[in-house]
Amino acid sequence: MPDIKKSVFAFIAIFIVPLLVFVLLESGLRIFGVGTSFDYFHEINIDGRAHFQENPDFADQFYPPALNIGPLENTFAKEPDSDLIRVYVLGGSAAMGFPFRNHGLDRLLATQLRAALPSRTVEVINTAMTSVNSHVVYEVARSIPEKSAYFAIILMGNNEVVGPYGPGTLNQNFLSNISLIRGFQALRRSRTWQALDGLVAQIKPENAQQDLKWEGMQMFTSHGVSRNDPRMQSVYSHYEDNLVDTIEILRDKGIHVVLSSVPANLRHSAPFLSVHREGMSDEQMNLWRDWHDKGSRSFEIENWHNAISCFQEALETDPGYAETHFMLATAFENVGDFQNAKAHYIHALDLDALRFRADSEINSIIRKVADAAGDDAFSFVDSAAAFEQASLPFQAGWNLLLEHVHYDFRGNHVLAAEMSRSIVSELIAPGNYEPLLGEEVAKRIGFPNHETIDNIKDLQRLVQHPPFPGQTNYTDLEGFLDDKLASVTVEVGSPRDVVRRRRDIVSSGLADWKVHFELAALARNSRNRQGTYYHLNQLFKLYPHNRESYMNVAELLSQDENWNEAISYLERSLFYTRGDEIKIAETVGWLGTAYLRTGDYDTATDLLLEVTSEYPDQIYLTLKAFGNLIRYSKETGKLDDLDRYVSNAQRYAKKLVRSGDDEKYPPLYTRMSQLMTMAGYADEAQEWADAQEH
């Protein structure tokens, strides 16, 4: 008996007491607002109705905040209307729609579903993010509210090696045990961990991760992982576990899962990194090099049969060199042997040691999981097979993709069409449903437009950096994007051409809110105030949750001296600032100005002082708030207020100088001189002007 008591007391002392301390500490930290929630969605109240809104901090549990990786903006009602069909999209940057974020899978799918189900309202909520993998998507699924949607699409697999906890990632150690990964993530989400992490950051502020900037794929180019790397087995195991669990989580929440295989560019994306097999002797290396060089010379002069023979000899010596397989596949394609071309394109993909694409094993796992999932609230869409079918007799390449994994409009159209088939067949009796043709979808969503031109230019800048210049067909990639930019630029035409093309779709009532947003911007640029008002009002009817639209209306109303209405729109825009200090300070300061113009001095003063006290890091906006306070008190003869505001502004600016923060805002001295001049403080104005010179 004494031994049992000792064991019980030991168990309590070792496990129960620390657990209770942790629970109490965690609860206390939450009560006092220490740390942040890493749930994907926050709940907010808009006009007395509960809504969900994405959490900008969600990805910070996986990546340093400095990288600024985060969700797309989404705001939607917690309790959906009875006629609403809501669909979640889960995945990485390809599912997100990069580079065409406003013309990606989500928007094309919504267009297809609205055409197929004209009596229903359709919402597609895109939760995808750049550079994320199944570990992140699993956490997204855990955060999705129960019974909040009919469907959830899963399109993931490109970032399993380079995403969080992959062997090729940049900011975390590889872990082979998925339970450890999930346990560690749970610990990182705790307020206790966040509090300790904050203390460490204060003690040791010189953290290299704080200075990280997102530089795209080149951040991962020093983390090659060969196909034979033993860690790859854990990668595949983790992917399968996460996929199975994600599906079950979503189905348990009453959501029908649509799982997709992952298409990649086989035909026109040369391997990023080829590696030789281990243990090759000098003699073997020389033999391989001799055959590969001979094949390359034949390849250059389009002597395809000789190139095939030489590359096959090279592979006899080193069967794992990805680039040889890619060039051999291209040679086979040029002699019309498409089956052998396909096999070697797949080998080139699987052997690429910079693993930015879902390889054949990932898609095999997807198909295996799909076979085992059954028909209960589950569907499988073989998008990779659909891409191949759309590309026959070739493999998928620049006909559907822009580079290695991101889809052109035609690629997104294939995805959306196949997924709409799956969803529509679940909602109505299977029949003769046929998705809209690509031309009609493009017309309804306004593709391409001037934003498309900018998107392609952004992609051109991206591919100038590693790993793209290392691809053997890099020159062809540059030429392809040059041609794409030229053709799209001609197709888009002038702003007047864009408006003309949108006229029919707008008059038919089939235009979505983003079409109206684009037309409002074009009308605004052409100084068509009536047209701007019209399209913004139509936009709000279709989607009342876009902050930029509220700010645009407020600007128009301000210009028209309609301050009371402007205040209403500014106040509504605060629902969509998502905790962004710059946006909050901008809006609050603008509200203060608007209330000044209506004569409500007390409210205006409170708002402007809120900017100066709550958001001092926003130097431009803080000085602007001081300027409005100083100007109004000067104009109205409120001299006591004027003296106080001048004193506060002086104190604020001098503090910036002492701390060295004036370097963050070089116009500080000029702006302070202007404020002092406005206030009638000539000596102080001269002091700031003299300080600027020194």
Side-chain angles (χ1 to χ4, degrees):
M1 184 66 73
D3 290 340
I4 294 176
K5 286 185 176 180
K6 287 182 179 179
S7 298
V8 171
F9 283 128
F11 178 80
I12 292 173
I14 295 172
F15 296 103
I16 302 300
V17 172
L19 179 60
L20 287 173
V21 171
F22 176 79
V23 171
L24 289 171
L25 178 60
E26 187 73 7
S27 300
L29 291 172
R30 287 175 182 268
I31 290 171
F32 286 102
V34 176
T36 186
S37 166
F38 286 123
D39 288 343
Y40 189 91
F41 291 114
H42 285 157
E43 186 174 328
I44 65 170
N45 187 289
I46 301 175
D47 296 335
R49 187 179 184 185
H51 287 71
F52 290 118
Q53 193 172 80
E54 88 289 344
N55 175 8
D57 299 326
F58 171 82
D60 293 352
Q61 63 183 299
F62 296 99
Y63 282 116
L67 292 182
N68 201 29
I69 295 174
L72 297 172
E73 292 189 356
N74 286 294
T75 304
F76 55 98
K78 179 180 180 180
E79 298 294 335
D81 295 332
S82 58
D83 70 339
L84 175 66
I85 301 298
R86 181 178 290 155
V87 183
Y88 291 115
V89 176
L90 293 81
S93 57
M96 186 177 69
F98 179 87
F100 304 137
R101 293 194 181 187
N102 284 318
H103 293 110
L105 166 63
D106 52 356
R107 194 169 176 200
L108 273 66
L109 177 61
T111 302
Q112 293 285 10
L113 293 178
R114 289 184 186 117
L117 307 164
S119 64
R120 310 294 292 270
T121 303
V122 174
E123 280 183 355
V124 179
I125 309 298
N126 196 335
T127 69
M129 290 170 284
T130 188
S131 195
V132 303
N133 59 13
S134 63
H135 296 295
V136 182
V137 173
Y138 167 80
E139 294 296 341
V140 173
R142 288 181 68 249
S143 294
I144 285 178
E146 289 189 11
K147 297 181 180 179
S148 59
Y150 274 84
F151 298 94
I153 293 168
I154 301 175
L155 175 62
M156 67 177 187
N158 288 321
N159 300 319
E160 293 307 300
V161 172
V162 298
Y165 298 107
T169 194
L170 72 136
N171 71 312
Q172 291 158 327
N173 293 323
F174 173 75
L175 294 176
S176 61
N177 187 295
I178 197 165
S179 296
L180 286 176
I181 292 173
R182 292 179 181 177
F184 182 56
Q185 279 305 127
L187 185 61
R188 294 184 71 176
R189 286 193 297 274
S190 72
R191 305 304 173 96
T192 305
W193 176 280
Q194 294 180 58
L196 292 173
D197 194 44
L199 288 173
V200 171
Q202 290 181 11
I203 296 170
K204 188 180 179 182
E206 294 299 324
N207 186 339
Q209 288 190 351
Q210 293 178 352
D211 297 326
L212 280 174
K213 292 183 179 179
W214 183 252
E215 296 176 344
M217 292 166 60
Q218 65 177 312
M219 301 179 74
F220 305 92
T221 53
S222 60
H223 300 275
V225 180
S226 70
R227 186 184 190 184
N228 297 324
D229 191 307
R231 296 174 296 177
M232 287 302 300
Q233 294 309 308
S234 294
V235 169
Y236 296 134
S237 176
H238 292 169
Y239 180 79
E240 183 170 353
D241 288 343
N242 283 328
L243 182 58
V244 169
D245 292 346
T246 298
I247 292 170
E248 288 309 304
I249 287 169
L250 293 169
R251 293 204 293 193
D252 288 346
K253 292 182 176 184
I255 300 173
H256 184 106
V257 175
V258 180
L259 175 63
S260 173
S261 56
V262 185
N265 188 338
L266 291 174
R267 187 182 181 215
H268 291 131
S269 183
F272 291 113
L273 177 63
S274 300
V275 294
H276 290 287
R277 66 178 173 86
E278 293 183 4
M280 286 182 66
S281 65
D282 290 343
E283 181 181 358
Q284 290 171 324
M285 184 64 75
N286 289 333
L287 180 62
W288 172 86
R289 186 178 295 109
D290 184 51
W291 283 116
H292 188 82
D293 289 348
K294 288 179 180 177
S296 297
R297 288 193 292 272
S298 296
F299 189 96
E300 289 175 2
I301 62 174
E302 300 184 2
N303 185 346
W304 304 118
H305 288 286
N306 194 60
I308 289 170
S309 297
C310 293
F311 288 139
Q312 287 175 326
E313 290 290 343
L315 290 174
E316 288 292 323
T317 304
D318 186 0
Y321 198 74
E323 186 59 39
T324 308
H325 283 284
F326 183 78
M327 297 181 77
L328 178 57
T330 305
F332 271 125
E333 181 185 286
N334 276 280
V335 299
D337 188 344
F338 298 110
Q339 282 303 113
N340 267 320
K342 175 183 176 180
H344 286 283
Y345 278 133
I346 292 174
H347 284 313
L349 166 64
D350 290 344
L351 292 166
D352 190 348
L354 283 179
R355 313 186 77 82
F356 295 110
R357 296 176 288 175
D359 60 21
S360 60
E361 182 62 23
I362 290 290
N363 275 318
S364 294
I365 291 170
I366 293 172
R367 295 184 178 102
K368 181 177 75 171
V369 170
D371 289 340
D375 297 328
D376 181 25
F378 179 83
S379 306
F380 173 60
V381 174
D382 198 343
S383 299
F387 268 50
E388 182 177 2
Q389 183 65 33
S391 306
L392 290 176
F394 307 105
Q395 294 302 299
W398 288 330
N399 61 318
L400 299 173
L401 298 101
L402 290 162
E403 15 75 348
H404 59 307
V405 295
H406 297 116
Y407 312 122
D408 200 350
F409 175 84
R410 286 194 61 207
N412 279 314
H413 172 67
V414 172
L415 288 175
E418 294 303 311
M419 291 172 183
S420 70
R421 291 181 197 274
S422 178
I423 290 172
V424 171
S425 68
E426 293 295 327
L427 293 172
I428 59 179
N432 297 320
Y433 165 70
E434 281 298 324
L436 298 174
L437 296 176
E439 292 80 2
E440 178 62 21
V441 175
K443 180 180 178 182
R444 294 191 183 197
I445 67 171
F447 181 90
N449 61 8
H450 289 96
E451 180 188 47
T452 311
I453 296 172
D454 293 335
N455 294 152
I456 296 172
K457 290 178 179 178
D458 289 341
L459 190 58
Q460 286 180 312
R461 285 188 285 271
L462 174 68
V463 303
Q464 292 175 6
H465 302 285
F468 294 101
Q471 292 182 290
T472 54
N473 66 338
Y474 176 63
T475 301
D476 294 334
L477 173 61
E478 288 186 305
F480 164 72
L481 291 177
D482 286 343
D483 292 343
K484 172 70 69 175
L485 178 62
S487 64
V488 166
T489 301
V490 171
E491 185 176 356
V492 171
S494 68
R496 181 173 296 179
D497 295 331
V498 172
V499 173
R500 176 180 49 79
R501 288 198 303 273
R502 306 289 185 270
R503 191 173 296 137
D504 290 343
I505 202 68
V506 169
S507 62
S508 70
L510 294 174
D512 63 13
W513 75 268
K514 290 186 177 180
V515 168
H516 285 289
F517 184 90
E518 176 191 10
L519 291 174
L522 290 172
R524 184 182 177 194
N525 289 338
S526 63
R527 299 181 180 180
N528 179 355
R529 300 178 71 78
Q530 183 178 355
T532 306
Y533 273 122
Y534 169 78
H535 288 294
L536 287 171
N537 286 328
Q538 294 301 309
L539 182 163
F540 288 130
K541 294 177 183 178
L542 296 169
Y543 185 71
H545 302 303
N546 180 256
R547 176 182 182 269
E548 190 174 351
S549 300
Y550 287 106
M551 301 300 280
N552 288 340
V553 174
E555 183 175 354
L556 288 173
L557 292 168
S558 299
Q559 291 170 357
D560 292 340
E561 299 290 324
N562 194 340
W563 294 104
N564 285 312
E565 277 197 60
I567 287 170
S568 174
Y569 282 93
L570 288 169
E571 288 176 340
R572 288 192 63 81
S573 76
L574 286 169
F575 289 122
Y576 311 107
T577 54
R578 295 167 164 83
D580 186 312
E581 284 197 359
I582 296 176
K583 293 177 180 177
I584 296 172
E586 177 190 23
T587 308
V588 172
W590 196 347
L591 275 168
T593 302
Y595 274 108
L596 280 178
R597 297 303 182 93
T598 65
D600 189 343
Y601 180 71
D602 291 338
T603 301
T605 300
D606 290 343
L607 289 166
L608 292 169
L609 288 176
E610 179 183 339
V611 175
T612 66
S613 61
E614 299 297 324
Y615 308 103
D617 291 340
Q618 309 308 321
I619 301 174
Y620 166 76
L621 295 170
T622 297
L623 293 177
K624 185 176 181 180
F626 274 126
N628 281 318
L629 289 166
I630 289 170
R631 179 184 295 107
Y632 189 80
S633 57
K634 174 76 170 177
E635 291 174 351
T636 56
K638 299 179 183 293
L639 300 183
D640 290 341
D641 289 345
L642 176 63
D643 291 342
R644 184 171 70 256
Y645 299 144
V646 167
S647 177
N648 289 343
Q650 289 265 59
R651 187 180 304 111
Y652 169 73
K654 290 177 180 179
K655 183 178 178 181
L656 292 176
V657 174
R658 288 195 302 272
S659 64
D661 287 340
D662 56 322
E663 295 180 4
K664 298 178 183 177
Y665 187 69
L668 173 67
Y669 298 91
T670 300
R671 183 64 178 136
M672 283 300 299
S673 180
Q674 292 170 345
L675 291 182
M676 295 301 101
T677 300
M678 182 194 308
Y681 284 60
D683 292 342
E684 287 80 355
Q686 189 61 49
E687 287 178 7
W688 284 105
D690 293 342
Q692 172 73 41
E693 296 177 2
H694 294 87

